[in-house]
Structures are given as structure tokens and as C-alpha cells.
Amino acid sequence: MKVLGIETSCDECSAAIVEDGHTILSNVIATQIELHKPYEGVVPELASRLHTEWISQVVQSALDRAQLLSKDIDAVAVTNRPGLLGSLLVGLSFAKGYSASLQVPFITIDHIRAHLFASQIEAPLAYPYLGVLVAGGHPVLCKVLDYDEIEVLGTAIDDAIGEAFDKVAKHYGMGYPGGVAIDNLAKKGNPLAFLFPGPTLKEKHRIYDISYSGLKTAAINQLDMFWDQSSEKSLENIAASFQRTAVNMLVKRIRLALQETGLKRISAGGGVAANSYLRSELKKFEEGGYEVSFPSLKLCTDNGAMIAALAYQYLKDGKRSEYSESASARVTAFKKKQST
Ligand code: KG4
Ligand code: ZN
């Protein structure tokens, strides 16, 4: 089964064709990064306008690269939540029209579930596993019991990890997008140059929830105050110290979650899963006998392949969506587990 997956939830206009859930025949990602760069962040109106202009061509490129014709497509899948509403609607409307014209099944996909599934495309991991979703917004630490069964252990209570990376980078003019800029600068910096406070785990029932706003504020204000006096002041040192603290905060909760749940496998997904320090820290869990899986770099950030691959799982179980289905900017209400 060849599934066309369309993803337009934010600033990547992407279409991919994946065969039987695992063979990526094409994965075209037309990024809008350069066009949002002057504003140092994604401008929602600009994003949806660009998706409208690009979507037909991106889908055609996906067909061309896979050396297929539209009649070879067996189903059309599209992200319908969460994300920027205008951007989601462009992909959703296109996908509905495309599937109706081809008279093939249509299915909507949750972006968060797709990020959590992405590592499965190239290196299938047995269920259950600890899903570490580290994207621009709404990260979750969760127990993934099946492709459709997710139990949330912890969420970001204020800034998501990706937002914290982006805001710190923006403040210091490190580059855009911020996560990539910090990752690159950090390679030349001293991670122990600045010791930022990591918040303590206070309430027992919210032990896996994570707050990045304190770290972000410390990385911005604390350093601004001492900027002239510090001998360690350099963008490389700030990047390395911030990245070390941000990742270690997450790793601490991952360790706790593994202990409490008894899970033996870990899979990370989302843009920040491309971070080299996070990848190396998670790899270390292998020494303790855990199985660790990441998507390749191209499958960490937003892409159509993860949408098509997850869609295949639903389709083979006979699931379909109605054309009446709409888009939503909001995160799906996943089942939330309270730790004991
Ligand atoms: O998954 P994604 O493309 O979009 C959302 O679903 O939100 O993630 C985007 C986030 C941005 O915050 C970006 O700065 C971050 O992923 N990111 C990184 C790296 N590459 C992308 N953060 C840290 N290190 C990276 N190498
Ligand atoms: Zn994403």
C-alpha cells in the first residue's frame, strides 16, 4: 500500500510517499525557514500563505521522486492537529480534494503521535516503550503501548524544550532556528562555564512534568546582569551550558520514568531529538541494557513520511476519516497517568 502523507502544521511544507509503512519512496520537505528568518520566528499568516502557494508542487515532487503517478497512490493521509490552524487547513483541504479525486481512502493524523512513531519507520521497536517527545511545543514523556495507545506521564508546564532553545538563541542573536544554532555553537563551548539552576522536582504526583521557563530566564537574565564581569562570556559557552542543563533536566525524568514503569525501550521524536548532546546522553542508556531508538535527522523535524507511515498502521486496521473532519490547533487530550 502506497500512502501519500501531507504535513503542513507549521513552517515545513512536506509530502511523502511511504510503502507499507516502512519504505520511504520520497519525502519532500520544502522548508520556509529562510522566509521566516527576518522575523526570528514563524509568522502564522506568512506560513499558511506559503503552504497555499507550494502544496501542489510539493506533492507533485513527491510523486516524481518516487517515480509514480497519482493513480498509483492507495490512500491520502494528512496532519490535522495540533499546529497553526491556517497552515493545517491548507494541507487538510488539499488532502481531502486529492483523495476525493483519486477515490482512495482519506485519513487524518495527529502530529504528536506521528513524532512518537517516527523512529519506528527505519528501526522498528517493540511496544511498549518510553516515548520522549521533544518538539517546539507540547513535549510529553509517555508510555507508548501501541501506535494508537499513549499514556502521558509528564508534560511541559510552561515553555517546551524547543521553545526554550529558540528563545535563548533569539535573545543572544545566535541564529535561526535556535535549536540548531545552539547545537552547533555548543560543540565549541564549555558546558560547565555557567551553572544554571535546574528546578527541583516538588510535587510527587507531577514528578515527570517539566518547566523550562526558569532555565530560560536564568540563561537570559542572569547572564545579562553579569555579562561584563564574566570571563567565560561567549556565545559558545552560553550555548553549551544551557544545552547541558536543558538536556540533563529531561534525562533525569527519563531515568525516573524508566525506574517507575519498568520500561526497557526508549524512543525519542520531534525536532529536538536531532540535538547531538541529547542523542549522546540517551545512547548512554544502552549501557544499562535499554534499547534506544531515534529517527534519522530528517525524520526528527516535521515531515510527511512520519504521517504516511503512521497512517498505514491505521489503514491496515481498517480505519478511515470522514471528509467532514476539521483541523484543530489544540493538542489531543491523551490519557494522563498519575505517578504514585
Ligand atoms: O518537531 P518540530 O520540527 O516542530 C514541532 O512540532 O514543534 O520541532 C521544532 C523544534 C524547534 O524548536 C527547533 O529549534 C528544534 O526543534 N530543533 C533543535 C535541533 N533541531 C531542531 N533543537 C535542538 N537541537 C537541534 N539540533
Ligand atoms: Zn513537529
Side-chain angles (χ1 to χ4, degrees):
M1 186 193 287
K2 295 183 188 70
V3 181
L4 167 67
I6 296 176
E7 158 62 47
T8 62
S9 66
C10 192
D11 59 343
E12 316 286 8
C13 188
S14 179
I17 299 164
V18 178
E19 186 164 21
D20 295 340
H22 292 287
T23 311
I24 301 176
L25 302 179
S26 63
N27 186 20
V28 177
I29 305 173
T31 181
Q32 303 177 356
I33 285 176
E34 286 304 316
L35 294 144
H36 293 282
K37 210 177 225 169
Y39 312 98
E40 295 182 87
V42 178
V43 181
E45 172 60 22
L46 179 58
S48 49
R49 227 184 298 158
L50 292 167
H51 286 308
T52 310
E53 286 170 22
W54 295 359
I55 186 77
S56 307
Q57 209 189 322
V58 166
V59 170
Q60 189 54 50
S61 303
L63 286 168
D64 293 345
R65 286 193 202 172
Q67 298 186 306
L68 295 173
L69 298 171
S70 58
K71 68 171 176 54
D72 301 318
I73 297 300
D74 299 304
V76 179
V78 63
T79 309
N80 77 326
R81 71 186 305 163
L84 302 172
L85 193 61
S87 293
L88 287 166
L89 284 170
V90 176
L92 183 66
S93 312
F94 188 93
K96 284 179 185 176
Y98 209 71
S99 99
S101 71
L102 297 176
Q103 297 188 303
V104 295
F106 161 76
I107 187 148
T108 58
I109 294 292
D110 181 293
H111 185 82
I112 287 182
R113 286 180 197 277
H115 271 310
L116 283 168
F117 185 79
S119 70
Q120 297 275 6
I121 304 175
E122 295 160 316
L125 192 68
Y127 294 107
Y129 56 80
L130 181 73
V132 182
L133 177 75
V134 279
H138 320 293
V140 283
L141 207 55
C142 48
K143 202 167 169 178
V144 183
L145 299 155
D146 200 353
Y147 72 86
D148 195 34
E149 205 183 335
I150 289 166
E151 198 175 273
V152 175
L153 300 171
T155 57
I157 52 177
D158 38 55
D159 286 304
I161 186 168
E163 285 171 336
F165 269 83
D166 292 343
K167 287 175 185 168
V168 170
K170 182 175 175 176
H171 178 80
Y172 288 104
M174 289 171 170
Y176 178 82
V180 182
I182 288 185
D183 197 350
N184 289 333
L185 281 166
K187 290 185 180 124
K188 289 168 255 144
N190 171 11
L192 298 173
F194 302 103
L195 297 177
F196 297 119
T200 46
L201 308 172
K202 282 197 197 98
E203 298 171 61
K204 208 160 182 262
H205 68 286
R206 297 188 69 177
I207 207 156
Y208 305 123
D209 284 350
I210 191 159
S211 160
Y212 275 107
S213 83
L215 170 64
K216 176 198 72 184
T217 308
I220 291 173
N221 295 342
Q222 209 175 309
L223 285 178
D224 269 0
M225 263 188 272
F226 299 109
W227 189 243
D228 291 333
Q229 291 102 318
S230 172
S231 56
E232 296 278 9
K233 57 182 184 189
S234 74
L235 293 184
E236 288 81 1
N237 284 350
I238 296 171
S241 304
F242 165 80
Q243 178 178 274
R244 173 181 168 273
T245 314
V247 168
N248 288 354
M249 278 164 63
L250 182 67
V251 169
K252 190 167 167 182
R253 280 155 184 86
I254 291 171
R255 200 169 289 121
L256 275 172
L258 290 170
Q259 278 164 12
E260 192 193 86
T261 60
L263 291 169
K264 290 281 170 238
R265 291 173 282 267
I266 312 166
S267 167
V272 186
N275 184 267
S276 51
Y277 179 61
L278 175 63
R279 288 171 94 92
S280 71
E281 287 303 291
L282 289 186
K283 267 275 172 208
K284 290 184 186 162
F285 280 97
E286 285 179 351
E287 292 158 20
Y290 294 96
E291 229 179 300
V292 182
S293 168
F294 308 100
S296 57
L297 292 184
K298 205 178 169 186
L299 296 178
C300 286
T301 42
D302 297 345
N303 66 87
M306 66 182 187
I307 305 303
L310 177 56
Y312 172 75
Q313 304 296 320
Y314 286 103
L315 291 162
K316 82 176 160 52
D317 284 350
K319 294 178 189 153
R320 306 281 185 272
S321 299
E322 299 290 333
Y323 287 134
S324 56
E325 227 174 284
S326 194
S328 170
R330 299 169 73 93
V331 179
T332 315
F334 291 103
K335 195 162 69 175
K336 173 118 188 172
K337 183 184 184 299
Q338 302 243 312
S339 60
T340 47

